[in-house]
Amino acid sequence: MPPLVLTASSVDLTRTICDIPSVSGDEAVLADLIDDAIAALPHLHVYRDGDTIVARTESDRPQRVVIAGHIDTVPINDNVPTRDVDVDGDAYIWGRGTVDMKAGVAVQLKLAAELVEPRIDITWMWYDHEEVDADLNGLTRLARSRPDLFAGDFAILGEPSNGTVEGGCNGNLRAVIRTTGVRAHSARAWVGENAIHKAAPVLARLADYRPREVEVDGLVYREGLNAVRVGGGVAGNVIPDLCEVEVNYRFAPSKSAVDAERHVRDVFAGFELDVIDVAVGARPGLDAPLAQQFVAAVGGEPRPKYGWTDVARFSAMGVPAVNYGPGDPHLAHHDQERVPIAQIEDVERGLRAWLS
Amino acid sequence: MPPLVLTASSVDLTRTICDIPSVSGDEAVLADLIDDAIAALPHLHVYRDGDTIVARTESDRPQRVVIAGHIDTVPINDNVPTRDVDVDGDAYIWGRGTVDMKAGVAVQLKLAAELVEPRIDITWMWYDHEEVDADLNGLTRLARSRPDLFAGDFAILGEPSNGTVEGGCNGNLRAVIRTTGVRAHSARAWVGENAIHKAAPVLARLADYRPREVEVDGLVYREGLNAVRVGGGVAGNVIPDLCEVEVNYRFAPSKSAVDAERHVRDVFAGFELDVIDVAVGARPGLDAPLAQQFVAAVGGEPRPKYGWTDVARFSAMGVPAVNYGPGDPHLAHHDQERVPIAQIEDVERGLRAWLS
């Protein structure tokens, strides 16, 4: 594998690193290449933990920004290697990882090499295992072993945001609602109790639910409460004794985990409900002075981020954080994942303008 | 394997044939033993098709009754060999097949040997594969190859009925109702359409459904409409695009397949619905003169049969049919399957009294 050339354009770097498969768990080849390329740069102090690489400028600036991107992707589905495509007259790089989020990582790698004397000290983080269980996430590991590396006045995650600033993120709660009954032969149903029939009000409440829009620090977050799974049944001639409805609640970053659980329990009052997991969101982080300078430098109107991202991790550690990267988040994980070349260049220009 | 001794008591014969495993598909050992024992009886004309054995008296009686019993069982679950148990002071034979329906078969085998000159000509049928797909059923096969053997004025299935006459049986329809939507990331649910939420009215209609009781030829059949399975969901963060609810409709024997399908389509009007299979029931068959004599001879008050049995097959071929056998149908297929010894003897006496 030839070494990464960080003086290449960020567009070429995007093609190169997308063509090196790095599905979660298999990031080592790409991490080694990044490590080798970054370790050769004398202005950066490098720390490695597994396949997570941290590179810091230490120029004694009064402020520090953390700029992070994950290097793993969801599984490839016949969409590697990348290719250049044209959609409605716009040039795209098509393939797994182009949106989520190797184009963002390519911009970061290029600027990490180029910005020898940035205006603000920078902690670059390229990390593994973002697309899988949070316990495996490289930042979870790093936060345990080296929490000091997260210190900063502001953080930028290169998650796809169509090249505009997306502030914070919604929280995410999953719960299972269970109804129970009594099994019986379906020829003598009156001997049993049908657990699936008892779930009727659960689905009715979901169907009737009107999600709120919640303004937080000037951005409006759309919430959502949805069934993501339903299951029940024993055999074609048996009255079922169990039905489960798994729901997913996406809640505004102004709500705590306790608030979110209380809301879901209110909606399904009278039913047995177990919360499986909950991750609070992140407030937009746009009131921080560095954030305001950043938004002014890159331009555009900040918007809310709906999906949960690692900005919440920084927010929870007291570091205001936003998402800013090339690519349409609707195309993340999509088999037709593709990033507009112009957005890669825009994001590169935006970050450079602010950091130089 | 020692030969079957048909001069033994029907209780001993029950123990013997229950201790010869004959789970559907593995009936050959038992079928061979029955064939050998029956072939030795000069008053019976024997025909064999696979593991189905037909034995006819040909005494030129003006009337003929078909008496049938299946020799297969559902899978054994640590409940063979049989043992004698006492429950609340009553003596039982415990084990797989005791109820469904080898005690009934034992009575039939004993009487087949004993009744050399019956009052009514008898066609005995012992058949395979009743507990599995109807296509495999020995009677399905026989009805294709030798429909003439089903000729008769009346039929008795030895299915468990607590030693009382259970007339006819309910019909059985299974259908799947599908709701569809549009997949989306659950962080942006408004981009999609939730198929599980759309199933809310399906479950509500099931929960609100009040099954009818339908009188047919003097017996009251309880109907039932139940969800037996529900399924939907793609992943914990995806708005599901498909939800399926499988329903099972048990309908009175006065209804045709068309009636039954129309009723289910009415209940779920507005939804996509596919009928998976339908088997019509059987009218009680108690208005036939032979049936009335039979009921008078064995005594007791006839009751409706709720579960579908092969009586429906005879009924469809124009032969009125009833269920009459030892054992509680609620214990069929049960791990604690057990038959009261007194019921075996009662059924033997009942049949003998009518046939002698």
Side-chain angles (χ1 to χ4, degrees):
Chain A
M1 191 76 69
L4 292 185
V5 179
L6 302 187
T7 52
S9 72
S10 54
V11 174
D12 279 343
L13 262 175
T14 299
R15 290 189 188 98
T16 302
I17 65 175
C18 286
D19 290 345
I20 301 167
S22 59
V23 175
S24 311
D26 285 317
E27 298 95 334
V29 171
L30 179 55
D32 287 349
L33 286 169
I34 292 173
D35 195 2
D36 290 346
I38 292 294
L41 302 170
H43 68 285
L44 291 174
H45 293 72
V46 180
Y47 173 82
R48 179 158 176 176
D49 177 306
D51 290 330
T52 290
I53 293 145
V54 182
R56 292 161 52 94
T57 64
E58 295 191 349
S59 307
D60 288 326
R61 303 292 189 243
Q63 290 178 304
R64 176 172 290 278
V65 62
V66 182
I67 304 181
H70 64 84
I71 63 171
D72 62 320
T73 69
V74 295
I76 290 165
N77 191 9
D78 274 336
N79 53 1
V80 164
T82 56
R83 56 175 195 258
D84 281 48
V85 298
D86 181 289
V87 179
D88 298 332
D90 291 320
Y92 286 78
I93 307 173
W94 172 98
R96 176 63 74 232
T98 52
V99 169
D100 194 7
M101 54 165 281
K102 289 184 174 177
V105 168
V107 168
Q108 294 171 359
L109 289 171
K110 178 166 182 64
L111 293 178
E114 177 186 315
L115 299 174
V116 175
E117 287 283 338
R119 207 168 59 74
I120 305 161
D121 264 322
I122 307 174
T123 302
W124 303 98
M125 288 183 178
W126 299 289
Y127 62 103
D128 55 286
H129 283 96
E130 192 270 350
E131 296 290 3
V132 288
D133 199 83
D135 284 346
L136 299 173
N137 189 308
L139 294 189
T140 303
R141 217 169 49 232
L142 195 65
R144 277 194 213 109
S145 62
R146 290 293 305 273
D148 56 298
L149 292 177
F150 288 78
D153 302 285
F154 183 49
I156 300 168
L157 269 282
E159 292 280 354
S161 63
N162 272 316
T164 66
V165 177
E166 291 192 345
C169 67
N170 267 331
N172 189 11
L173 178 149
R174 285 190 308 138
V176 170
I177 300 145
R178 278 185 200 87
T179 54
T180 56
V182 177
R183 281 192 200 188
H185 196 292
S186 64
R188 291 173 291 274
W190 54 91
V191 177
E193 273 178 55
N194 196 313
I196 295 177
H197 296 191
K198 290 186 181 179
V202 175
L203 298 198
R205 291 183 202 178
L206 283 163
D208 292 343
Y209 186 84
R210 291 292 160 264
R212 302 182 205 181
E213 301 198 340
V214 181
E215 186 174 325
V216 182
D217 300 345
L219 296 186
V220 176
Y221 289 82
R222 287 181 80 161
E223 298 194 326
L225 176 62
N226 273 275
V228 288
R229 185 178 63 81
V230 62
V234 177
N237 61 355
V238 176
I239 300 302
D241 57 348
L242 176 66
C243 183
E244 292 189 327
V245 182
E246 182 179 328
V247 298
N248 184 209
Y249 178 42
R250 303 285 178 149
F251 56 95
S254 51
K255 292 200 170 97
S256 68
V258 171
D259 293 339
E261 178 168 342
R262 186 182 304 125
H263 179 67
V264 171
R265 289 197 183 278
D266 282 350
V267 170
F268 299 107
F271 288 92
E272 183 190 330
L273 181 149
D274 282 333
V275 172
I276 303 172
D277 62 34
V278 56
V280 294
R283 300 182 74 97
L286 298 172
D287 42 1
L290 265 191
Q292 291 177 354
Q293 289 171 22
F294 170 69
V295 169
V298 304
E301 189 68 29
R303 298 194 303 186
K305 184 82 175 171
Y306 296 121
W308 194 94
T309 77
D310 275 312
V311 297
R313 181 188 304 275
F314 286 92
S315 179
M317 295 172 95
V319 184
V322 299
N323 304 280
Y324 178 64
D328 180 349
H330 288 89
L331 290 176
H333 304 190
H334 200 287
D335 290 343
Q336 298 301 325
E337 187 172 347
R338 57 180 185 266
V339 65
I341 286 177
Q343 279 189 10
I344 303 175
E345 295 167 338
D346 281 351
V347 167
E348 181 187 329
R349 266 195 300 273
L351 280 174
R352 182 188 286 112
W354 180 58
L355 292 166
S356 301
Chain B
M1 192 75 68
L4 292 185
V5 179
L6 303 187
T7 51
S9 74
S10 55
V11 174
D12 279 342
L13 260 176
T14 299
R15 292 190 188 96
T16 302
I17 64 175
C18 286
D19 290 345
I20 301 166
S22 58
V23 175
S24 311
D26 286 317
E27 298 95 334
V29 171
L30 180 56
D32 287 350
L33 286 170
I34 292 173
D35 196 2
D36 290 347
I38 292 294
L41 302 170
H43 68 286
L44 291 175
H45 293 71
V46 180
Y47 174 81
R48 180 160 176 175
D49 177 306
D51 290 330
T52 290
I53 294 146
V54 182
R56 293 160 51 94
T57 64
E58 296 191 351
S59 306
D60 288 327
R61 303 290 189 246
Q63 290 178 304
R64 176 173 289 279
V65 62
V66 182
I67 303 180
H70 64 84
I71 63 171
D72 61 322
T73 70
V74 296
I76 290 164
N77 191 10
D78 274 336
N79 53 1
V80 163
T82 56
R83 56 174 194 259
D84 281 46
V85 298
D86 182 287
V87 178
D88 298 332
D90 291 321
Y92 286 79
I93 307 173
W94 172 98
R96 176 63 75 233
T98 52
V99 169
D100 194 7
M101 56 168 278
K102 289 183 173 178
V105 168
V107 168
Q108 294 172 0
L109 289 170
K110 178 168 183 62
L111 294 178
E114 177 185 316
L115 299 174
V116 175
E117 287 284 338
R119 207 168 58 75
I120 304 161
D121 265 321
I122 307 173
T123 302
W124 302 98
M125 288 182 177
W126 298 289
Y127 62 102
D128 56 288
H129 284 97
E130 191 270 350
E131 295 291 3
V132 289
D133 199 83
D135 283 346
L136 299 173
N137 189 307
L139 293 190
T140 303
R141 216 168 52 232
L142 195 66
R144 278 196 212 108
S145 62
R146 290 292 305 273
D148 57 299
L149 292 177
F150 289 78
D153 303 283
F154 183 49
I156 299 167
L157 269 283
E159 292 279 356
S161 63
N162 272 315
T164 64
V165 176
E166 291 192 345
C169 68
N170 267 332
N172 189 11
L173 177 147
R174 284 189 310 137
V176 170
I177 300 144
R178 279 187 198 84
T179 54
T180 56
V182 177
R183 280 194 201 187
H185 196 292
S186 64
R188 291 174 291 275
W190 54 91
V191 176
E193 273 178 55
N194 196 314
I196 295 177
H197 297 192
K198 289 187 181 178
V202 175
L203 297 199
R205 290 182 202 179
L206 284 163
D208 292 342
Y209 186 84
R210 292 291 160 264
R212 302 183 205 181
E213 301 197 341
V214 182
E215 186 175 325
V216 182
D217 300 344
L219 296 186
V220 175
Y221 289 83
R222 287 180 80 162
E223 296 193 330
L225 176 63
N226 273 275
V228 289
R229 185 178 62 79
V230 62
V234 177
N237 61 354
V238 176
I239 301 302
D241 57 349
L242 176 66
C243 182
E244 293 188 328
V245 182
E246 182 179 329
V247 299
N248 184 209
Y249 178 41
R250 302 286 178 147
F251 56 96
S254 51
K255 293 199 170 97
S256 68
V258 170
D259 293 338
E261 178 168 343
R262 186 184 302 126
H263 179 67
V264 171
R265 290 196 182 278
D266 282 350
V267 171
F268 300 107
F271 288 92
E272 183 190 330
L273 182 150
D274 282 333
V275 172
I276 303 171
D277 62 35
V278 56
V280 294
R283 301 181 73 98
L286 297 173
D287 42 0
L290 265 191
Q292 292 177 351
Q293 289 170 21
F294 170 68
V295 169
V298 304
E301 188 67 28
R303 298 194 305 184
K305 185 81 174 172
Y306 295 121
W308 195 93
T309 76
D310 274 313
V311 296
R313 182 187 305 274
F314 286 93
S315 180
M317 295 172 96
V319 184
V322 299
N323 304 279
Y324 178 63
D328 180 348
H330 288 88
L331 289 175
H333 305 190
H334 201 288
D335 291 343
Q336 298 302 325
E337 187 172 347
R338 57 180 184 266
V339 66
I341 286 178
Q343 279 189 10
I344 304 175
E345 295 167 338
D346 281 351
V347 168
E348 182 187 329
R349 267 195 300 272
L351 280 173
R352 182 189 286 113
W354 180 58
L355 292 165
S356 298

